[in-house]
């Protein structure tokens, strides 16, 4: 063996903390560069968001159901946080694998960059230039990783204060650059003044107002929600990681497919028509028995049936296929939408004001009596008359039920489960029931498996809204289990059998166990 080869010095090796920090900063600059370019070509092109949206699309139904049950409306925040932790871990691993050579980290950075490219290309709302964002992310990540790696090696060979200072300046410049690029990308992505557009619209005044909500429509002072849900409290369940930003003055709705006349409507076109106000309770199919995903609003808009009659629905069309500006789709049964008494809307307003941005501004669909996943497209930009055999919408393609009628349901709101109630006399139990569009005729309550007794119903506002109830129970001190069940106006009784929300809505009696203290 050649003695000179035996004594050849090993390549310099970076300290583990330094190598890991280089990996983290390279990933940070990659994400920031992609976010910055996305600010110019479209927010959905941001690789981080595109990968997140693709993850949502590819997640198995059972896992999605678990996420909604466990995290509720914070499910997207948990997803983004989880993705951030995974990227952080990948960045640290890339750095540690590259203590002698930048090649392993460069390969990992390239793989992550290509994943971003694939995710952006797969998005239905991505334009032709969207791919520039993940490409910028890929190039920036690899370039900065290799640059910092070379600076670290130089610093290792130069232990002087000046050498350390030069390397620290490089690290600091990278961190500051990532922060500035990320913030600038966010500013550019928000440059569409949606809030200004919404404010300029002013109050949404219906031509035909809804009937006033009668006194005694809720038992809010005894534990139920208020009858009308404030916009800020209205439930929100959707797949959007970033809320689409559409100005009313730019918005267009195309109506096409199996119609006699294709139509393209602007926001002004809709607002110039007769606006109808309807009090409607909306329910999410993901709602568990006793769950919170049900809310009521005064929606104002144009009757969808009237618009479709103008377009002329051709014989054989059985699906109204709605598309959001971010590519999400929902298919509603045409025969339901066209029912005159149903009152399906192209909604422009909620509770007297323009739709909140997170609830579909400028325009969304609202079809009473159908779960939102097949009827309530937000940020609506396209309606196609087609058939269920020809096209499958987002959730139907993932195995959910095709028709989605809302099931008869009731819920106990007060007392809360596992609570302790101080009572010197009778105990008030209250809640809500819904059976859109049939309406609620009766709610019954029983205690500890005993006989059913009728609850007192609040004023009846309409068949497409929820109905509050309460009952006074003479309960002894100690623990009690109370159950409720509703009967709709057709005579159908809420079934006892527990069925999970997916694929077409939960069933079962809601119960609450609480302790009475005398």
């Amino acid at each position: 063996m050649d003695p000179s080869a035996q004594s050849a010095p090993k390549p310099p090796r970076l300290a583990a903390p330094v190598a890991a920090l280089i990996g983290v900063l390279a990933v940070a600059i990659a994400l920031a560069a992609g976010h910055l370019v996305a600010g110019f070509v479209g927010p959905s092109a941001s690789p981080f968001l595109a990968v997140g949206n693709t993850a949502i699309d590819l997640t198995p139904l059972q896992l999605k159901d678990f996420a909604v049950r466990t995290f509720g409306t914070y499910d997207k925040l948990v997803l983004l946080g989880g993705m951030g932790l995974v990227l952080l871990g990948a960045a640290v691993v890339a750095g540690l694998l590259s203590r002698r050579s930048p090649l392993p980290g460069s390969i990992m950075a390239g793989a992550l960059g290509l994943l971003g490219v694939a995710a952006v290309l797969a998005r239905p709302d991505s334009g032709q230039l969207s791919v520039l964002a993940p490409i910028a992310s890929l190039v920036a990540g690899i370039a900065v990783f290799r640059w910092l790696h070379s600076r670290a090696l130089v610093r290792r060979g130069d232990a002087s204060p000046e050498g350390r200072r030069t390397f620290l300046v490089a690290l600091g410049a990278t961190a500051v650059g990532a922060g500035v690029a990320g913030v600038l990308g966010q500013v550019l992505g928000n440059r569409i003044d949606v809030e200004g557009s919404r404010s300029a619209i002013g109050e949404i005044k219906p031509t035909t107002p809804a009937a006033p909500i009668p006194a005694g429509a809720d038992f809010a002072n005894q534990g139920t929600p208020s009858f009308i849900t404030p916009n800020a409290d209205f439930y929100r369940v959707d797949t959007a990681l970033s809320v689409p930003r559409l100005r009313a003055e730019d918005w267009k709705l195309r109506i096409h497919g199996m119609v006699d006349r294709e139509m393209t409507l602007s926001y002004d076109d809709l607002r110039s028509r007769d606006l109808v106000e309807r009090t409607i309770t909306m329910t999410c199919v993901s709602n568990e028995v006793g769950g919170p995903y049900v809310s009521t609003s005064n929606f104002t808009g144009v009757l969808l049936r009237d618009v479709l009659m103008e377009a002329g629905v051709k014989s054989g069309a059985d699906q109204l296929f709605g598309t959001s500006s971010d590519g999400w789709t929902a298919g509603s049964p045409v025969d339901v939408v066209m029912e005159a008494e149903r009152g399906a809307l192209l909604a422009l307003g909620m509770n007297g004001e323009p739709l909140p941005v997170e609830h579909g501004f400028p325009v969304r669909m609202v079809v009473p009596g159908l779960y939102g996943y097949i009827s309530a497209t937000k940020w609506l930009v396209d309606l196609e008359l087609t058939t269920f055999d020809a096209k499958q919408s987002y959730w139907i393609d993932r195995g959910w039920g095709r028709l989605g009628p809302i099931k008869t349901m009731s819920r106990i709101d007060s007392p809360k489960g596992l609570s302790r109630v101080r009572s010197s006399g009778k105990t008030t139990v209250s809640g809500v029931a819904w059976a859109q569009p049939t309406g609620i005729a009766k709610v019954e309550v029983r205690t500890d498996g005993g006989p059913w007794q009728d609850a007192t119903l609040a004023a009846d506002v309409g068949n497409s809204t929820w109905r509050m109830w309460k009952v006074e129970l003479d309960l002894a001190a100690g623990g009690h289990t109370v159950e409720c069940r509703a009967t709709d106006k057709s005579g159908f009784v809420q079934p006892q059998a527990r069925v999970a929300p997916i694929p077409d809505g939960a069933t079962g009696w809601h119960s609450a166990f609480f302790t009475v203290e005398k």
Side-chain angles (χ1 to χ4, degrees):
M1 182 178 289
D2 186 352
S4 62
Q6 228 176 2
S7 60
K10 292 183 178 180
R13 188 183 188 201
L14 300 181
V18 172
L21 181 59
I22 289 173
V24 170
L25 288 176
V27 168
I29 202 72
L31 292 176
H35 202 58
L36 175 60
V37 175
F40 291 98
V41 300
S44 64
S46 176
F48 188 67
L49 294 179
V51 170
N53 282 315
T54 301
I56 290 174
D57 291 348
L58 298 178
T59 299
L61 285 178
Q62 293 82 357
L63 186 55
K64 285 182 181 177
D65 190 29
F66 168 79
V68 172
R69 287 198 318 270
T70 306
F71 305 112
T73 55
Y74 297 102
D75 58 338
K76 301 176 189 65
L77 185 61
V78 171
L79 170 65
L80 293 176
M83 287 173 54
L85 290 176
V86 169
L87 283 173
L88 178 63
V92 169
V93 170
L96 294 177
L97 292 177
S98 305
R99 293 176 68 184
R100 294 191 186 280
S101 166
L103 182 59
S106 299
I107 293 173
M108 285 189 67
L112 289 174
L114 291 176
L115 177 63
V117 171
V120 169
L121 290 176
R123 297 304 304 156
D125 54 335
S126 295
Q128 293 182 344
L129 297 178
S130 295
V131 73
L132 294 177
I135 289 176
S137 183
L138 187 155
V139 171
I142 293 176
V144 169
F145 182 82
R146 298 183 71 88
W147 177 64
L148 288 177
H149 196 281
S150 67
R151 298 307 303 168
L153 290 178
V154 170
R155 181 259 177 193
R156 184 171 177 80
D158 180 4
S160 67
E162 184 63 29
R164 286 196 298 272
R165 188 178 304 112
T166 300
F167 179 60
L168 290 175
V169 167
L171 292 177
T174 302
V176 170
V180 170
V183 170
L184 185 56
Q186 191 66 27
V187 170
L188 289 170
N190 292 336
R191 69 186 184 278
I192 299 174
D193 189 9
V194 178
E195 288 77 13
S197 174
R198 184 174 177 271
S199 297
I201 291 170
E203 185 180 1
I204 298 289
K205 293 184 178 180
T207 311
T208 307
I213 305 300
D218 63 41
F219 298 124
N221 61 342
Q222 294 173 294
T224 72
S226 60
F227 188 85
I228 294 294
T229 309
N231 287 353
D233 298 333
F234 204 98
Y235 81 87
R236 178 195 166 199
V237 176
D238 53 48
T239 64
L241 282 178
S242 59
V243 176
R245 301 180 63 81
L246 301 172
R247 299 193 314 161
E249 49 268 46
D250 301 328
W251 178 84
K252 301 287 183 185
L253 173 64
R254 182 188 177 208
I255 302 172
H256 62 108
M258 298 174 67
V259 295
D260 298 325
R261 295 168 296 281
E262 287 197 11
M263 299 173 64
T264 299
L265 300 173
S266 69
Y267 192 86
D268 285 342
D269 290 334
L270 286 185
R271 199 171 183 195
S272 65
R273 293 167 176 252
D274 287 343
L275 297 182
V276 175
E277 186 179 47
R278 293 282 187 269
T279 306
I280 298 170
T281 295
M282 294 185 65
T283 309
C284 180
V285 73
S286 298
N287 209 38
E288 295 278 353
V289 173
Y293 304 132
V294 54
S295 302
T296 299
S297 175
N298 280 324
F299 287 99
T300 300
V302 174
L303 290 172
L304 180 54
R305 179 177 183 270
D306 292 350
V307 175
L308 295 180
M309 288 180 68
E310 288 183 28
V313 179
K314 290 186 176 180
S315 176
D318 61 10
Q319 179 181 204
L320 180 61
F321 195 85
T323 302
S324 165
S325 67
D326 65 356
W328 188 84
T329 57
S332 306
V334 169
D335 58 347
V336 172
V337 171
M338 295 298 287
E339 291 175 5
E341 65 278 9
R342 181 76 60 153
L345 295 175
L346 293 174
L348 288 71
M350 284 176 70
N351 294 330
E353 62 182 66
L355 291 171
V357 176
E358 64 273 18
H359 287 293
F361 179 82
V363 178
R364 70 174 299 168
M365 269 180 60
V366 177
V367 183
L370 299 181
Y371 288 119
Y373 78 99
I374 63 162
S375 69
T377 308
K378 294 186 278 192
W379 314 291
L380 181 69
V381 294
D382 190 276
L383 285 174
E384 180 182 359
L385 274 299
T386 181
T387 66
F388 283 106
D389 290 337
K391 299 189 78 167
Q392 288 194 318
S393 59
Y394 184 92
W395 286 114
I396 309 307
D397 194 40
R398 289 157 176 78
W400 291 26
R402 192 177 78 174
L403 300 180
I406 292 174
K407 296 180 178 179
T408 301
M409 183 62 66
S410 60
R411 179 185 80 193
I412 299 168
D413 286 299
S414 179
K416 299 294 184 185
L418 304 181
S419 64
R420 305 184 76 85
V421 181
R422 294 196 62 84
S423 175
S424 58
K426 291 189 176 182
T427 301
T428 300
V429 177
S430 63
V432 297
W434 57 89
Q436 311 95 294
T438 308
I440 293 293
K442 180 169 67 173
V443 173
E444 298 168 285
V445 174
R446 72 175 181 179
T447 306
D448 301 326
W452 291 99
Q453 65 181 89
D454 289 349
T456 299
L457 296 180
D460 190 0
V461 175
N463 293 341
S464 291
T465 67
W466 57 12
R467 197 166 184 187
M468 312 300 181
W469 58 267
K470 69 175 182 177
V471 65
E472 304 290 328
L473 301 177
D474 190 4
L475 301 178
H480 298 279
T481 298
V482 174
E483 297 170 287
C484 63
R485 69 181 184 187
T487 301
D488 69 22
K489 291 181 181 179
S490 74
F492 178 81
V493 180
Q494 176 183 343
Q496 179 181 12
R498 283 284 181 125
V499 173
I502 308 306
D504 59 359
T507 66
W509 296 342
H510 186 219
S511 63
F513 174 84
F514 55 89
T515 301
V516 175
E517 297 177 342
K518 294 290 188 179

